[in-house]
Amino acid sequence: MGFALEWYMKGMLFISFLDLVESQYDQDTLDAILVEVAPENGGIYTSAGDYDHTELVALVMALSKHSGASLTNLTKSFGMYHFAEFIAAYPQLFKGLDSSFALLEKVDSFIHQEVKTLYPGARPPKFECTKVSDNVLELLYQSPRCLGDVAEGLIQGCAAYYGDKITVKRERLGDKSGAMERFTITK
């Protein structure tokens, strides 16, 4: 059961994506992508429910088709949007963190542990963080869901929230599937 759950995502991500579509596009676009993807649940997600990550990918692909926006831009935009939604919903998790580097260094050891408490069964990606210098942070992303673009959007959303100007260099590692990537973040 443990490995199979790696491929599932909590409904909070699906809800956030549908909110993004409705707010940045319109209800007709949302309806069109739900009709095209035809999820078994009719597009009704609960925040703590478990859903196959490929369904979210299908929704993003359908939005790309309907909007003309690239998949990469949509998934990065979704990451940025989701960061803003998450921080608005759980501001207590970010108390005492005064920069994007401070938060990113705590993602695995604190934020993801809290997510697992809030959403039992959650399987967030693994982030190993190494502070190379005061201005450079290296983040190793590992997830069988291969959603590095969303991770990059979350990093960009984090930097925007704290007003940090950053550059992100990204490198796929291992078998090049996207299951493991290194992000080098420079201020």
Side-chain angles (χ1 to χ4, degrees), residues 12-13 16-17 77-87 154:
M12 63 185 266
L13 292 165
S16 182
F17 179 75
S77 294
F78 170 57
M80 292 180 74
Y81 183 87
H82 184 64
F83 180 85
E85 292 259 305
F86 191 75
I87 205 161
L154 287 163

Side-chain angles (χ1 to χ4, degrees), residues 61-99:
M61 289 173 66
L63 178 59
S64 176
K65 178 180 159 188
H66 285 272
S67 69
S70 75
L71 288 172
T72 298
N73 286 343
L74 284 175
T75 50
K76 286 180 185 177
S77 294
F78 170 57
M80 292 180 74
Y81 183 87
H82 184 64
F83 180 85
E85 292 259 305
F86 191 75
I87 205 161
Y90 303 103
Q92 71 277 11
L93 297 181
F94 303 92
K95 285 192 174 157
L97 302 173
D98 61 357
S99 72

Side-chain angles (χ1 to χ4, degrees), residues 120-139:
R123 300 269 194 258
K126 178 129 182 73
F127 286 99
E128 292 177 22
C129 195
T130 304
K131 190 171 187 177
V132 177
S133 72
D134 286 344
N135 296 323
V136 180
L137 194 66
E138 195 173 271
L139 197 62

Side-chain angles (χ1 to χ4, degrees), residues 2-9 51-54 123 144-146:
F3 180 75
L5 282 177
E6 289 292 322
W7 296 94
Y8 285 84
M9 307 175 90
Y51 306 94
D52 190 320
H53 83 286
T54 60
R123 300 269 194 258
R145 294 181 292 263
C146 306

Side-chain angles (χ1 to χ4, degrees), residues 22-54:
E22 190 172 25
S23 69
Q24 293 189 1
Y25 295 91
D26 55 33
Q27 184 65 44
D28 290 340
T29 302
L30 177 58
D31 292 343
I33 67 170
L34 288 172
V35 165
E36 182 174 325
V37 173
E40 287 183 29
N41 63 7
I44 299 170
Y45 301 94
T46 63
S47 61
D50 292 315
Y51 306 94
D52 190 320
H53 83 286
T54 60

